[in-house]
Amino acid sequence: MKLKSLKMWLNCWMLFAALAVSLLAVVEGSWGSPGDGQYHIQTDEGPERYFRFQTDNGQFRKERRLQDGTVVGTEAWIDAAGFLRQKDYIADKNGYRILKSKTVFVGYDRHIEDAIKSTKSVPAQTGVLVNGRNGLHEATKTAYPITTTTTTTTT
């Protein structure tokens, strides 16, 4: 009888250990470990506040809160189709406005930092600073691909 209860107790502990390992694998797989390209910086001291973050899955944001309460920032992400979507914005006493916005095809599996650097020369397509509108709810109609041009000569 004691041997039977000992086996049952041992089986319960083995099942518990297997569940714990499985749960750990699920949590590890879901959240992952941050890679070299992922970071978060934040300052909460002084009259101006600042934060910046970048994730391994293609998101970037930086924002500064000025002494008068104005917030100025940039957000960018790479969507599932391989487009970098970047917006510079301001939020002040006149509301939230997109200052400039651009959508550029950068491809798949590209780090956000590299994508932003490679598209610096691409002009913004919409926003208050681009076309003088209020910048709210404007749709981007043009996407500029990053391409490499090759010339072939035939004789």
Side-chain angles (χ1 to χ4, degrees):
M1 186 76 164
K2 286 185 179 185
L3 184 60
K4 191 173 183 180
S5 80
L6 180 63
K7 283 184 179 181
M8 186 182 299
W9 182 83
L10 187 57
N11 285 339
C12 286
W13 271 105
M14 288 175 46
L15 179 61
F16 175 75
L19 286 173
V21 168
S22 297
L23 181 61
L24 183 62
V26 167
V27 169
E28 183 82 16
S30 298
W31 294 101
S33 299
D36 293 339
Q38 186 163 303
Y39 63 84
H40 177 258
I41 301 169
Q42 184 169 339
T43 61
D44 287 330
E45 296 179 11
E48 293 189 2
R49 311 296 167 114
Y50 175 83
F51 79 84
R52 179 177 176 144
F53 72 83
Q54 176 177 303
T55 66
D56 289 331
N57 68 350
Q59 297 178 40
F60 168 85
R61 186 168 165 198
K62 66 179 178 178
E63 190 172 279
R64 179 176 300 276
R65 180 177 305 270
L66 306 177
Q67 288 183 16
D68 68 355
T70 299
V71 175
V72 181
T74 299
E75 64 181 354
W77 66 93
I78 300 173
D79 68 15
F83 285 89
L84 171 72
R85 299 185 180 273
Q86 183 175 343
K87 297 181 181 351
D88 294 343
Y89 59 89
I90 186 170
D92 60 11
K93 63 183 178 182
N94 297 317
Y96 175 86
R97 296 171 314 283
I98 296 173
L99 298 174
K100 55 186 180 173
S101 173
K102 60 182 165 184
T103 301
V104 182
F105 182 78
V106 294
Y108 303 97
D109 297 325
R110 190 157 190 186
H111 288 288
I112 186 75
E113 187 175 11
D114 295 335
I116 290 172
K117 285 179 184 176
S118 71
T119 61
K120 286 241 184 236
S121 63
V122 175
Q125 296 131 4
T126 62
V128 175
L129 299 179
V130 177
N131 59 14
R133 291 202 201 169
N134 66 3
L136 297 173
H137 308 294
E138 290 187 42
T140 300
K141 295 180 181 164
T142 308
Y144 293 94
I146 298 295
T147 57
T148 305
T149 308
T150 56
T151 306
T152 308
T153 307
T154 55
T155 54

